[in-house]
Amino acid sequence: MESGVSSTAKTCLLGLTFVIFASSRIMLTKYSSNDANGFDYLPAVVTVLSEALKLSVCLLLTFRKLYNECDDPWGYIKSFSCVDILKLWPWSLPGFFYFLDNLITFYVIASFETARIVLLSNFVIVSTSLLFRIVLKHRFTRIQWAALIILFLSIVSLSKEKFDTCRDPHEVTKKSSDALEASKRFTEQDVCYVPEITGERPSPHRHRADGGPLTLQDFYGFILVIFQCFIASFANIYNEKIFKQGDGLEESIYVQNSRLYLFGVTFNLLLLLIRTDYRGTIATCGLFHGFNTSAALLILDNAALGLTISLVLKYRDNMFHIMCSQLNTVFVIVASVAFAGFRPSLQFFLQAPIVLLAIYVYHLAKEDQTGSSNSRQKEVAKGINSIRRSSSSSATKMLSEDTDLYTDSEDDRSKLSEV
C-alpha cells in the first residue's frame, strides 16, 4: 500500500515539475524578446548552452555512477571500441529533431501571445495520434477522430484570429522604418548590431483593416506550429522507444541522456559554425550579446525541462507527457492574464473552451474504449471459466456413470460365478 502511495506521489511530483518548467519556459522566452517581438540574442546560443548544461550534468552523474560501481572506471572508459561508438548513432535522430524543435519554439513564441501559444500547441495531440496510427498501428474510435478534427479546426481558427486583430498598418510600417533607421545609426556609430530574429513577416494583406483576403504567408506562425508539433511528437515517440527497448529500462538514464545530449550539442554547434551571420555576430559582438536576465534564466529552465521530459518518457509515457502539457495550457493562460497583460478577445473566450472540450472528449472516449475493452475481456474470461466448469462437470458425470457401469458389470460377473 505504501509503495503504491509513494509511486502516485512521485508521478504527481514529476507531472507538477514538468508543468512548472514548461510554463516558465514560454513566459521566459516571451520576456526575453524585445518590443518588436524579436530577440536581440541568438536563439541558437541559448539552445547550445542548454544542451551543454544537460550534457555536463548527465556526464557528471554517469562518472559518479561508474566510480561507485566499477573498480577501474578509467579502464572501463578506455575499453570503448569503434563498435561501441557506432551504437551511439540511433540517438542522433531524436537529437536532431529536438534541435529543430528547440529552435522553432523561438519563432512560434515570436508569432503569438503566450496564451494562444499553449492553445495552439495542443495540436501535438493530433500529430501524436496520427503518428501512433501510422507507426504503431494504434486504433482510435470514431468519437476520438471527431474530437481530433474539432481540435484541429479550432486551432486553425485561433491562429487566424491573430491576423484579424493586428494593429493598424501605418503603425506597423512606422515601426519597421524605425527599426531600419536604428540599424543604420548603429552601423554608422560602429556599434555592434544584430538583426532581429522574429516571427513577424510583414505583408500588405495581413494588416488590412478592411478584412482583406488572407494569404499563405499570413499562416506562417500556424505552419510553424504544425511543423513543430510533428517534429516534437516524432522525437518523443522515437525517444521513448529507444529508452525502453531491449535492456533500456535497466540501463542508467544518465548514460542514455549523455548520448542524446551529445548530439544535441553537436547539431547546435554546427548551426553556429555553418551560418556566416551567426559566426560574424559571435566574433564581433560576443557569445552573450543581447542577453538579459530572462535569457539567462531560460538556459537553466530549458536544461531542467529537458531532463524532466527524459524522466517522463523513461518512467511514464507519451500520453502522460501530453496530459501534463494540457495542464500547462491552463497555467500559462492564467499567468498571461495576470502578469503579461494579455486581454483575451470575445473570439478567444468562445474558442478556448472548444479546444479544451475537444481534448476532454478525446480522453473520455479513450477511457470508455479502455473500459469496454476490459469489460469484454472479463466477459470472455467469464465465458471461458463457465465452459471449463461445464466441461469439468460433464467429465465428472461421465466418469461417475462409467464407474457405476463398471460396478454393475462386476456384480453381474460375481453372480454368474456363483451359478
Side-chain angles (χ1 to χ4, degrees):
M1 180 69 179
E2 291 181 359
S3 114
V5 173
S6 175
S7 176
T8 303
K10 289 179 180 177
T11 300
C12 293
L13 180 62
L14 182 62
L16 181 61
T17 304
F18 171 82
V19 170
I20 291 173
F21 287 133
S23 303
S24 56
R25 178 196 186 188
I26 295 176
M27 301 302 294
L28 286 172
T29 305
K30 199 66 177 178
Y31 284 142
S32 66
S33 63
N34 52 32
D35 294 336
N37 287 330
F39 301 98
D40 295 326
Y41 58 87
L42 296 177
V45 173
V46 172
T47 56
V48 73
L49 292 177
S50 299
E51 295 294 319
L53 180 58
K54 290 187 286 186
L55 179 61
S56 302
V57 171
C58 291
L59 284 177
L60 181 63
L61 293 173
T62 300
F63 288 144
R64 180 184 176 186
K65 182 179 177 64
L66 285 175
Y67 182 80
N68 293 331
E69 296 181 359
C70 297
D71 297 331
D72 185 15
W74 291 111
Y76 175 79
I77 294 173
K78 292 177 182 179
S79 66
F80 273 79
S81 62
C82 294
V83 177
D84 295 320
I85 296 176
L86 289 176
K87 291 180 180 178
L88 297 176
W89 287 109
W91 298 88
S92 63
L93 192 59
F96 176 72
F97 279 105
Y98 281 130
F99 152 72
L100 292 178
D101 177 46
N102 290 330
L103 283 181
I104 293 174
T105 298
F106 286 92
Y107 295 93
V108 170
I109 293 177
S111 300
F112 300 100
E113 299 91 345
T114 51
R116 189 167 286 111
I117 291 167
V118 289
L119 282 173
L120 294 174
S121 64
N122 283 301
F123 185 82
V124 74
I125 301 176
V126 180
S127 58
T128 303
S129 300
L130 290 175
L131 290 175
F132 272 175
R133 182 70 184 95
I134 296 171
V135 179
L136 303 179
K137 307 300 181 184
H138 186 79
R139 294 184 177 276
F140 296 98
T141 64
R142 286 176 293 181
I143 296 178
Q144 285 179 305
W145 283 117
L148 290 176
I149 293 172
I150 293 173
L151 180 63
F152 173 76
L153 295 176
S154 301
I155 288 174
V156 172
S157 181
L158 274 171
S159 67
K160 178 181 177 299
E161 188 210 351
K162 176 186 187 303
F163 310 121
D164 293 338
T165 58
C166 269
R167 291 166 296 181
D168 185 79
H170 301 292
E171 181 183 353
V172 175
T173 304
K174 183 178 182 299
K175 194 165 193 176
S176 300
S177 60
D178 290 342
L180 183 60
E181 290 177 5
S183 171
K184 292 179 180 178
R185 185 170 65 254
F186 290 154
T187 305
E188 291 171 357
Q189 296 175 0
D190 199 22
V191 177
C192 183
Y193 173 75
V194 181
E196 290 179 354
I197 297 175
T198 176
E200 295 290 339
R201 298 296 176 91
S203 169
H205 296 288
R206 173 187 289 188
H207 302 285
R208 286 182 60 179
D210 57 354
L214 294 172
T215 64
L216 181 62
Q217 189 179 8
D218 293 323
F219 288 93
Y220 167 75
F222 176 62
I223 293 172
L224 279 181
V225 169
I226 294 179
F227 188 54
Q228 181 197 19
C229 287
F230 272 103
I231 287 177
S233 298
F234 183 82
N236 288 335
I237 292 173
Y238 186 83
N239 205 20
E240 181 184 355
K241 179 178 180 295
I242 58 178
F243 264 141
K244 298 177 179 178
Q245 71 179 359
D247 298 329
L249 285 174
E250 286 74 26
E251 190 176 19
S252 171
I253 190 172
Y254 310 129
V255 176
Q256 293 175 322
N257 278 339
S258 298
R259 300 168 186 161
L260 177 64
Y261 301 142
L262 176 64
F263 287 103
V265 172
T266 302
F267 288 127
N268 282 280
L269 281 177
L270 284 176
L271 178 65
L272 292 177
L273 293 174
I274 290 174
R275 290 197 56 167
T276 55
D277 54 341
Y278 284 5
R279 288 205 315 269
T281 298
I282 294 173
T284 306
C285 309
L287 189 66
F288 297 99
H289 174 77
F291 267 64
N292 50 29
T293 304
S294 298
L297 291 175
L298 184 60
I299 296 174
L300 301 176
D301 187 83
N302 274 342
L305 179 60
L307 293 171
T308 305
I309 291 175
S310 66
L311 290 172
V312 170
L313 297 179
K314 170 93 172 179
Y315 299 109
R316 295 296 299 174
D317 52 31
N318 264 293
M319 296 313 297
F320 180 79
H321 175 261
I322 291 175
M323 290 292 291
C324 292
S325 299
Q326 291 152 26
L327 291 176
N328 180 41
T329 301
V330 179
F331 272 72
V332 173
I333 290 177
V334 173
S336 298
V337 174
F339 305 110
F342 176 65
R343 296 294 177 264
S345 63
L346 177 61
Q347 187 177 1
F348 182 90
F349 268 121
L350 295 176
Q351 290 169 339
I354 297 176
V355 173
L356 299 177
L357 283 173
I359 295 170
Y360 172 74
V361 171
Y362 174 83
H363 289 292
L364 187 64
K366 181 184 176 183
E367 292 175 2
D368 291 343
Q369 183 185 22
T370 305
S372 62
S373 177
N374 292 335
S375 63
R376 282 197 299 271
Q377 290 178 358
K378 289 179 181 179
E379 290 177 0
V380 171
K382 184 178 179 181
I384 293 174
N385 291 331
S386 64
I387 292 173
R388 287 176 178 173
R389 284 196 299 268
S390 63
S391 300
S392 177
S393 62
S394 300
T396 304
K397 184 177 179 181
M398 290 176 63
L399 181 60
S400 175
E401 291 176 354
D402 291 343
T403 304
D404 293 341
L405 182 60
Y406 177 77
T407 305
D408 293 340
S409 62
E410 284 291 327
D411 292 342
D412 293 339
R413 280 197 296 272
S414 62
K415 290 179 181 179
L416 287 173
S417 62
E418 290 176 1
V419 174

